[in-house]
Amino acid sequence: MKKQNIIGILSLFAISFDGYAIDKYVTDNVDIYLRRGPGSQYAYSNSVKAGEKVVELEKSADGKYTRIQLNNGNAAWIETIKLNEQPSYKERFPALEAKLTEYQDKIDNAEANQQKLVGDYVQKLQAAEKSIETLQNRNQALEQQVKEQGAQIESMLNQVDDKRRDLIVTWFTYGGLVAGGGLILGLILPRIIPSRRKKDRWM
């Protein structure tokens, strides 16, 4: 009968602390041995693996020990300093590994995108250089054509000047001939005309 009363009291005591239950994580160092009570004078009951998630039920009066509930439902006491608020590396490692993979993918994609952008810029630069070279060649061809046309125009102007001089000389020559012919006629005609008059008189 006493044994049943003790079990009932312990059950009520455990139930009274259910509202206090807080998630905790065992440190990552080594497996931790648990005690039957809140002090080093209590015997070891069992152990908990490093990094395992447990539930905090209560703390001792001095705060050095914490009563925890294990995953199998058993309860025991552990040194408070061996509990962490944050999940252990064992719990966080899969999430960290997934994040690392995600960041690595982003880095790889960023490098690929950067290489693609660089390749596009190189192609555009090469195309621009070809366009510039083509324009320069066209400009040189146009300059050469302008020079040739300028030489042709200058040659044509020289030809026009030569023809103009030839025309002036021709006109002066014709004028001289006309003037000379008139002078000769002026000298000859007076001699011819009087002789006829003299003949008319003799007749």
Side-chain angles (χ1 to χ4, degrees):
M1 187 69 178
K2 290 183 179 179
K3 186 176 181 180
Q4 293 178 351
N5 291 336
I6 292 173
I7 292 173
I9 292 171
L10 290 174
S11 298
L12 291 174
F13 184 75
I15 293 171
S16 64
F17 286 101
D18 286 344
Y20 177 79
I22 300 173
D23 290 340
K24 293 285 183 176
Y25 297 88
V26 180
T27 56
D28 293 314
N29 297 330
V30 292
D31 292 351
I32 306 299
Y33 288 99
L34 305 177
R35 296 184 180 274
R36 298 182 183 276
S40 58
Q41 69 273 19
Y42 291 91
Y44 292 112
S45 60
N46 50 18
S47 63
V48 63
K49 292 183 178 181
E52 185 175 339
K53 181 180 179 180
V54 296
V55 178
E56 178 182 332
L57 299 177
E58 60 174 314
K59 286 186 177 180
S60 61
D62 57 7
K64 294 182 179 181
Y65 282 84
T66 300
R67 185 168 174 267
I68 59 173
Q69 183 178 2
L70 307 178
N71 293 331
N72 60 9
N74 295 331
W77 291 84
I78 187 175
E79 290 183 74
T80 303
I81 61 173
K82 295 180 179 179
L83 294 176
N84 291 326
E85 298 289 339
Q86 299 296 327
S88 64
Y89 290 111
K90 179 181 177 181
E91 293 285 335
R92 288 183 288 171
F93 183 75
L96 292 174
E97 189 175 21
K99 282 287 185 185
L100 180 61
T101 302
E102 180 183 354
Y103 291 144
Q104 187 63 45
D105 291 338
K106 289 182 178 179
I107 291 172
D108 293 340
N109 292 332
E111 290 179 353
N113 292 332
Q114 185 69 21
Q115 291 178 356
K116 184 177 182 301
L117 289 174
V118 171
D120 292 340
Y121 287 137
V122 169
Q123 290 180 355
K124 290 180 180 179
L125 181 60
Q126 291 175 349
E129 289 177 349
K130 289 182 179 179
S131 299
I132 291 171
E133 184 178 359
T134 301
L135 291 174
Q136 287 177 345
N137 293 333
R138 289 181 180 177
N139 187 36
Q140 291 177 356
L142 289 173
E143 288 179 353
Q144 184 64 28
Q145 186 177 359
V146 169
K147 289 180 180 179
E148 293 176 355
Q149 290 179 352
Q152 291 177 357
I153 292 171
E154 186 176 358
S155 176
M156 293 173 65
L157 290 174
N158 291 333
Q159 291 177 4
V160 170
D161 289 339
D162 292 340
K163 288 182 179 181
R164 184 182 298 171
R165 283 194 295 268
D166 292 342
L167 183 61
I168 293 171
V169 171
T170 301
W171 279 106
F172 273 112
T173 302
Y174 289 158
L177 291 174
V178 171
L183 180 60
I184 293 171
L185 288 175
L187 294 174
I188 294 173
L189 287 176
R191 292 183 180 183
I192 295 173
I193 294 173
S195 62
R196 286 182 179 179
R197 290 179 179 176
K198 289 178 179 180
K199 287 181 180 181
D200 290 340
R201 291 178 182 177
W202 285 105
M203 293 179 64

